[in-house]
Amino acid sequence: MTSRVERCGGCGRQLWLPRQAVAARCHACRSVTSFPSSSQRWAQVYGSVSQPHHNVVTTVPSNYVAAGPGNGKYPRQGCNNYYIDQPRPAWAPPPVYGRKKALLCGVTYNDTNYMLTGSINDVKSMWFLLVRMLGFPSDCVVILTEEEKNPYRIPTKQNIRTAMRWLAQDCQPGDSLVFHYSGHGSRQKDYNKDELDGFDETICPLDHETEGPIIDDEINATIVRPLPRGAKLHAIIDSCYSGTVLDLPFVCKINGEEYKWEDQRIPTACYKGTSGGIALSFSACSDNQTSASTSAFSGKDVTGVMTSSFIQAVKNEPCLTYGRLLAAMGDAIPSLMPNDTDVIQVYFITRNI
């Protein structure tokens, strides 16, 4: 059913209503709010020569008994002019405050032979960085892990897709978006010939064995291409084969003190940039490498090397540049993991411009 969004006159929360509804009872505060018809809205804006103006929103006392629209989905309870607002059964996007939104996805693949132990720790650490240190409203940070009680917050393929669409939805100039993924990554043959190496990079949802992975083409189309001028996306991807998993046109490979930018564009391929915004992705490794995890950063809990080095660098130097950020991430690893030099040979940052 086509729906519209109105505001409760009692508590102000959003109410998702059928288009024909003229009033609704909020399931949170129980107050009933009536809404004008299209003709009344016209009169409210332009005036009426025969009738006085109508209030756009009218709140009815919370003990008023209201009924559903009588379409069989909701029962009638007396008067049938009111729609009873129900908790949305599907995944409902949280509100947005201050133009900051983040999606944090950690997949551990419990009870499998490829189970990961640090993904949830990565998500918790990233949440602390964004909310406690960088001012992201907690209501605007969506977490998908296997610890979540809400079935729509489990990191399945459909839930990740839905959450990515929410992240980019209604993006405006000035918005700051973050996409963090910690889990398995993979690669598969490129069938639309838009990859220099002939492979699409992927992330692996919890149900990837039955539903398949999410490929870089889809990630790019969902959260990169919609970005308008003035908006910015930062992606932190802690998985194997993640170098170009956002399919951004330019790649910066860092090896020690050497910075090297590479153009990943193919003249015959479709456009993979934004709609004027800036997109940057920090990846754990190149497209043909595997990522690593360690307990060296916390001394106890296992975390992804990529996620932990990123967070530590931002905490230690809040106003650093992107170049300094990558250097600081690289510096953090040998001091904590002197025997694991293979994981620090290359760090990736990809961008759209």
Side-chain angles (χ1 to χ4, degrees):
M1 178 186 297
T2 303
S3 63
R4 75 177 196 269
V5 179
E6 298 284 0
R7 290 280 183 183
C8 171
C11 64
R13 67 180 295 274
Q14 288 184 336
L15 306 177
W16 295 74
L17 311 174
R19 289 201 178 275
Q20 73 273 17
V22 296
R25 186 176 71 188
C26 176
H27 79 271
C29 71
R30 313 303 294 174
S31 63
V32 176
T33 304
S34 61
F35 309 98
S37 65
S38 58
S39 61
Q40 290 173 324
R41 289 182 188 273
W42 187 93
Q44 174 70 16
V45 176
Y46 296 102
S48 171
V49 296
S50 60
Q51 296 181 354
H53 292 305
H54 297 273
N55 290 331
V56 175
V57 176
T58 302
T59 301
V60 182
S62 60
N63 60 358
Y64 189 92
V65 177
N71 60 4
K73 185 175 181 180
Y74 297 97
R76 294 177 180 269
Q77 301 173 10
C79 171
N80 62 5
N81 292 327
Y82 294 91
Y83 177 90
I84 301 178
D85 172 58
Q86 302 284 340
R88 288 175 64 78
W91 185 88
V96 178
Y97 307 103
R99 300 190 185 280
K100 290 183 177 182
K101 301 168 69 176
L103 169 60
L104 313 181
C105 181
V107 195
T108 55
Y109 316 93
N110 289 329
D111 302 321
T112 67
N113 58 5
Y114 48 85
M115 178 179 174
L116 297 175
T117 56
S119 298
I120 289 182
N121 295 330
D122 288 342
V123 165
K124 291 177 179 178
S125 298
M126 188 61 68
W127 182 93
F128 186 88
L129 174 71
L130 295 177
V131 175
R132 300 302 186 195
M133 299 191 64
L134 300 182
F136 276 66
S138 58
D139 285 346
C140 297
V141 179
V142 169
I143 293 178
L144 302 184
T145 70
E146 288 142 275
E147 286 187 346
E148 297 296 312
K149 303 301 182 183
N150 186 335
Y152 298 98
R153 297 296 181 92
I154 303 297
T156 63
K157 183 175 183 177
Q158 183 57 47
N159 289 347
I160 294 175
R161 281 175 159 176
T162 300
M164 287 196 301
R165 288 194 294 268
W166 164 81
L167 183 65
Q169 184 178 15
D170 300 326
C171 186
Q172 300 176 17
D175 287 1
S176 177
L177 312 180
V178 172
F179 174 50
H180 172 241
Y181 172 82
S182 179
H184 281 303
S186 185
R187 60 202 310 231
Q188 64 184 40
K189 185 177 180 180
D190 169 34
Y191 292 100
N192 56 359
K193 301 186 184 303
D194 63 351
E195 299 279 354
L196 289 177
D197 61 359
F199 290 93
D200 281 320
E201 288 67 49
T202 74
I203 60 175
C204 299
L206 179 61
D207 55 353
H208 68 98
E209 288 188 345
T210 56
E211 301 300 321
I214 300 176
I215 67 171
D216 50 9
D217 294 336
E218 180 178 352
I219 298 173
N220 179 277
T222 305
I223 64 175
V224 174
R225 269 181 271 176
L227 283 176
R229 183 175 300 277
K232 184 176 289 187
L233 167 70
H234 291 96
I236 302 96
I237 311 297
D238 201 342
S239 65
C240 300
Y241 315 110
S242 56
T244 61
V245 75
L246 261 66
D247 255 2
L248 299 178
F250 300 96
V251 174
C252 181
K253 294 182 178 180
I254 289 84
N255 191 349
E257 298 296 325
E258 182 181 353
Y259 292 71
K260 182 181 179 182
W261 283 99
E262 295 181 356
D263 189 342
Q264 299 288 300
R265 294 174 296 178
I266 297 178
T268 58
C270 65
Y271 177 69
K272 292 298 185 74
T274 69
S275 297
I278 298 176
L280 302 105
S281 177
F282 297 85
S283 303
C285 55
S286 65
D287 289 337
N288 60 354
Q289 290 181 319
T290 57
S291 58
S293 59
T294 181
S295 60
F297 284 90
S298 67
K300 180 181 178 182
D301 297 325
V302 174
T303 58
V305 173
M306 164 66 188
T307 299
S308 295
S309 60
F310 179 90
I311 292 174
Q312 180 172 296
V314 174
K315 285 182 176 180
N316 291 342
E317 300 180 53
C319 298
L320 38 64
T321 64
Y322 290 118
R324 177 56 196 153
L325 172 60
L326 292 173
M329 290 168 63
D331 292 342
I333 298 172
S335 62
L336 293 171
M337 305 173 63
N339 298 323
D340 293 328
T341 56
D342 57 315
V343 304
I344 64 169
Q345 292 178 356
V346 177
Y347 258 113
F348 266 49
I349 179 174
T350 54
R351 63 181 175 91
N352 67 293
I353 58 174

